[in-house]
Amino acid sequence: MNVITDLINEWQQLRTELAAVERAEHPDITDRHGRVWTWFGRGDTYSHCGIAAPADMINQFGLPSQRVLDNPNYGELCGICLNGRKRNVPDCKPEWNCSHLMHQRS
């Protein structure tokens, strides 16, 4: 049993080291709006506030539309994405059993 535990621990340590190397190869990208996009972990895909895109497409994105702001599936958006606008996300009903806890009434 100790052999298996040692192998798992070694694998976890090596995976942590590999993740650090992969992260160093994919530095964060700041777009023209000042949003910081972080590497998603696959290919050259980066993400910011629930939006994912290849690195070469990031600067083609504008700020999210009001329709995106009103979609509860995007979760919390940063101040840059909100750009002074208000989200009009409807309150979730308890019977919906959804995961948008931030929008449920207490």
Side-chain angles (χ1 to χ4, degrees), residues 33-36 48-49 63-64 69 76-87:
H33 300 288
R35 298 176 293 193
V36 177
H48 176 81
C49 284
L63 294 175
L69 268 58
E76 292 297 322
L77 298 174
C78 71
I80 295 171
C81 287
L82 287 174
N83 195 26
R85 298 173 291 174
K86 181 172 172 45
R87 295 187 76 181

Side-chain angles (χ1 to χ4, degrees), residues 18-81:
L18 179 59
V21 170
E22 289 174 332
R23 191 76 190 97
E25 292 175 351
H26 299 89
D28 293 346
I29 297 174
T30 303
D31 68 9
R32 64 178 190 241
H33 300 288
R35 298 176 293 193
V36 177
W37 294 71
T38 56
W39 184 56
F40 193 64
R42 296 184 189 113
D44 69 341
T45 305
Y46 286 74
S47 68
H48 176 81
C49 284
I51 302 167
D56 60 347
M57 289 183 61
I58 289 174
N59 280 319
Q60 297 174 21
F61 284 99
L63 294 175
S65 67
Q66 187 65 42
R67 179 173 256 167
V68 169
L69 268 58
D70 296 345
N71 185 334
N73 292 318
Y74 279 92
E76 292 297 322
L77 298 174
C78 71
I80 295 171
C81 287

